[in-house]
Amino acid sequence: MEISPVTLNGRVVRLEPLTPAHGEAFATLGVEGDIFRYFPIALKTRDELLRYVEFSVGAQAAGLGVSWATVALASGDVIGGTSFLNIDPQNRRLEIGGTWIAPAWQGSACNAEAKYLQLRHAFEELGCIRVEFKTDSRNERSRAALRRIGATEEGTLRNHMIMPDGHLRHSVYFSIIDSEWPQVKANLETRIERLLSR
């Protein structure tokens, strides 16, 4: 598994490697609503979001992860972000995390296609045998979305993280393994088509 920043092109979104130039878009979108309520770091202010982009770009340069800006093809606007984290080349696995999308695009084909592009890249280009996800046990929307794409809920790590507000977060783990990818892929393609036809 040789993981490096790469642009992933879809029909409605493009995932482009995160750079400092995306900082302003992240900062502008990120202060809207409550997008980062379940993130394990504080991302409420413009400065916090700019530091998050700087940190993510630095981690990418150090080979510790790959982060993308999610761009809507129709407008060219940045509408979210996502990452490969906890990369383990020896065991051919990684985590998809740090995923968010601006409220105006939630429930659209954009997020489904972003996941599709990442999963296809992980399984078909990188040769992963496992892709994992974790989410706050309170984040029922995220848990439902992971079930919907065909990820298997594996269990809960209790008191896994201390959240910025002091809450002790229980993290729920999900995964997709390589033998499941063909069915997950077909389901995602059907879902994307259905969302695009609405």
Side-chain angles (χ1 to χ4, degrees), residues 100-175:
W100 62 277
I101 193 161
W105 287 271
Q106 291 175 5
S108 73
C110 294
N111 199 36
E113 188 174 64
K115 282 284 187 295
Y116 173 80
L117 293 172
Q118 286 181 284
L119 286 165
R120 187 178 67 185
H121 185 61
F123 286 116
E124 298 181 14
E125 302 297 326
L126 300 177
C128 286
I129 61 171
R130 170 185 169 86
V131 174
E132 59 193 30
F133 311 82
K134 67 176 179 288
T135 188
D136 192 308
S137 63
R138 300 170 297 169
N139 191 348
E140 189 50 49
R141 182 179 185 141
S142 174
R143 293 172 67 183
L146 288 167
R147 289 187 201 102
R148 196 165 41 247
I149 67 170
T152 297
E153 184 172 333
E154 296 180 318
T156 302
L157 298 186
R158 299 175 302 156
N159 288 358
H160 185 229
M161 298 179 180
I162 301 173
M163 299 293 279
D165 64 358
H167 175 81
L168 297 178
R169 167 179 151 161
H170 305 324
S171 294
V172 183
Y173 271 77
F174 290 79
S175 73

Side-chain angles (χ1 to χ4, degrees), residues 7-54:
T7 299
L8 303 176
N9 291 295
R11 294 165 58 191
V12 292
V13 295
R14 176 177 67 249
L15 300 184
E16 54 187 46
L18 191 65
T19 71
H22 295 111
E24 286 300 325
F26 272 48
T28 300
L29 287 171
V31 296
E32 297 177 4
D34 202 11
I35 297 173
F36 299 106
R37 178 184 351 164
Y38 296 113
F39 269 49
I41 56 174
L43 293 174
K44 293 184 178 180
T45 68
R46 182 178 181 280
D47 286 345
E48 287 170 343
L49 284 151
L50 289 172
R51 283 195 298 274
Y52 173 69
V53 170
E54 183 181 340

